[in-house]
Amino acid sequence: MKNKNSLNKNEIQKIDWEKIQLEMKNKFGKDIFESWLRKIDFSEEFNDYILISVSTRFLRDWITSRYLDQILQIVKSHKQEINRIEILINENKNILNNNENKMNLIKDSSKNNVSFIKDFVFQYNRIDPNKNFENFVLGSSNKLAYEASKKVAENITQYNPLYIYGGVGMGKTHLLNSIGLKLKETSKVMFISAERFMYQFVKSIKSNEMVKFKEYFRNADVFLIDDVQFMNGKEAMQEEFFHTFNALMDKGSQVIISADRPPNKLSRIQERIKSRFSGGLVIDIQQPDYDLRYKIIKIKTEELKKYYSNQLNISEEIQKFISVEVKNSIRELVGALNRIVSFSRIYNKTPNLSETKVVLKDLLNLSESKVTIDSIQSLVCKFFKISKNEMLSSRRSRYLVRPRQTAIYLTKLLTTKSLPEIGREFSNRDHTTVIHSIKTIENLKKNDHELSTNIDSLKNQLLYNNSNEV
Ligand code: ADP
Ligand code: MG
């Protein structure tokens, strides 16, 4: 046991925060570093993520919206396994208390299982008190999922398992978290992402701890598993998952699953698992409509105003603008508002409409409606130095085929057009030709580095520039 403990200690020291700070300084420049990044404290390192802390919510939002991706890249260059960074706000006493609780929990559970329980407990503890039913805003796209979750949380239903699916940033994790938060009061709750489950599985095999692994999971009264589409492990893992799942269901535990797609569309997951997923209630969260987006913006703006003691002023025009334009997900919507807040705080004034457009540029351009087939065809023709007539002709010379396939591929990627519609826009080609083009490019992209870079560059130009420079 002693051995294992000291091993853990070594692991914890792996990341040299001073070095990372130095690299941040080089990367972002002295000014930015001194203003924002020096203030970051390094808290703790886990297997696949690190915990850092800052003193205010504002700093957290500012760093998240501007620098976090790049900081993650730097951290990754030191330890590849790290795939996310969590930021604590340490001004808040509650957080300190939570940390104490966490430490106590860790101590307690270390009696049973020293080597990897710590991560588990943290995971368990990771149920976020700020994501609850009360602050989940309702609209027509998420009402059913909310109601089903609520019923499960109140133990007044036989929906088992409950399976919630929908795109990224739609509120799935928020709902799972809310269920966990509520049921934690009375039951043993296990809340884990599928990725984490797999990781823990592999780790347990390596350290000969499968018995504990099994016990640990099968002990739960409520088992919440997030992002199950990532469950793509080997047979042995799926086998274990299936048995865990069955054991839990058999003993009457409640199981709640989230994914980005319905059960029958899950790839690389055994049929029998899919079929068990479908056996309870399957419900989707759709994209938020304008009403919901506006409602969320209103509520969040009010919250922020209170937080900043009414010194914050975001005009109705800007609120409407964000609600109209940022359509992809609730995550982006809230992110957009946070950026506006950061801007207001830095420049001490509310951004006007054109400043807002600059601040939100990437989010706005990402909305697919902006990219037209015409702009794709023009840009691709220009890039490959062929004429539009040639691209749209039926000629099958090699030097025309690849550009044509590229344009078709980009159209599928960047617009909402269906396959037959795309076929029509390319001189009435059949939709099977369209599929073939897309597949060809997807395959080539995997091995042909140059082609892949070119396509990414075309894609970025279409998304971010209106001028079609090549
Ligand atoms: P998903 O798991 O579907 O990718 P999340 O649950 O992580 O999405 O949601 C992304 C962000 O948007 C979170 O900060 C979440 O709290 C917030 N959010 C999502 N849906 C709602 C909602 N209906 N009301 C309030 N906040 C929401
Ligand atoms: Mg999620």
Side-chain angles (χ1 to χ4, degrees), residues 169 172-174 226-227 258 331:
K172 302 182 296 296
T173 302
H174 191 131
D226 204 7
D227 286 324
S258 89
R331 177 173 292 136

Side-chain angles (χ1 to χ4, degrees), residues 131 135-137 142 167-174 330-331:
K131 286 182 183 158
N135 65 11
F136 189 83
V137 185
N142 60 20
V168 175
M170 298 298 175
K172 302 182 296 296
T173 302
H174 191 131
I330 295 177
R331 177 173 292 136

Side-chain angles (χ1 to χ4, degrees), residues 156-220:
I156 47 173
T157 172
Q158 300 300 318
Y159 303 148
N160 205 9
L162 171 64
Y163 184 106
I164 299 177
Y165 72 91
V168 175
M170 298 298 175
K172 302 182 296 296
T173 302
H174 191 131
L175 278 181
L176 259 60
N177 192 89
S178 309
I179 299 175
L181 196 61
K182 182 80 205 327
L183 289 175
K184 207 170 87 166
E185 294 163 10
T186 49
S187 328
K188 239 178 277 160
V189 174
M190 167 61 59
F191 180 24
I192 192 166
S193 70
E195 269 180 310
R196 190 88 206 152
F197 183 89
M198 294 193 298
Y199 171 80
Q200 222 57 68
F201 175 81
V202 172
K203 192 159 174 191
S204 313
I205 289 186
K206 279 192 190 145
S207 55
N208 258 328
E209 286 175 317
M210 269 321 283
V211 176
K212 272 174 192 155
F213 179 91
K214 281 180 208 244
E215 259 172 30
Y216 199 78
F217 281 101
R218 291 176 194 190
N219 223 341

Side-chain angles (χ1 to χ4, degrees), residues 370-380 388 462 466 468:
K370 295 275 162 60
V371 181
T372 61
I373 290 203
D374 196 51
S375 63
I376 295 173
Q377 291 177 339
S378 305
L379 185 69
V380 174
K388 212 155 179 176
L462 286 161
N466 295 322
N468 287 347

Side-chain angles (χ1 to χ4, degrees), residues 414-428:
L414 302 175
T415 73
T416 50
K417 300 267 187 241
S418 68
L419 297 172
E421 278 172 322
I422 298 175
R424 275 199 289 284
E425 299 279 349
F426 285 81
S427 315
N428 275 325

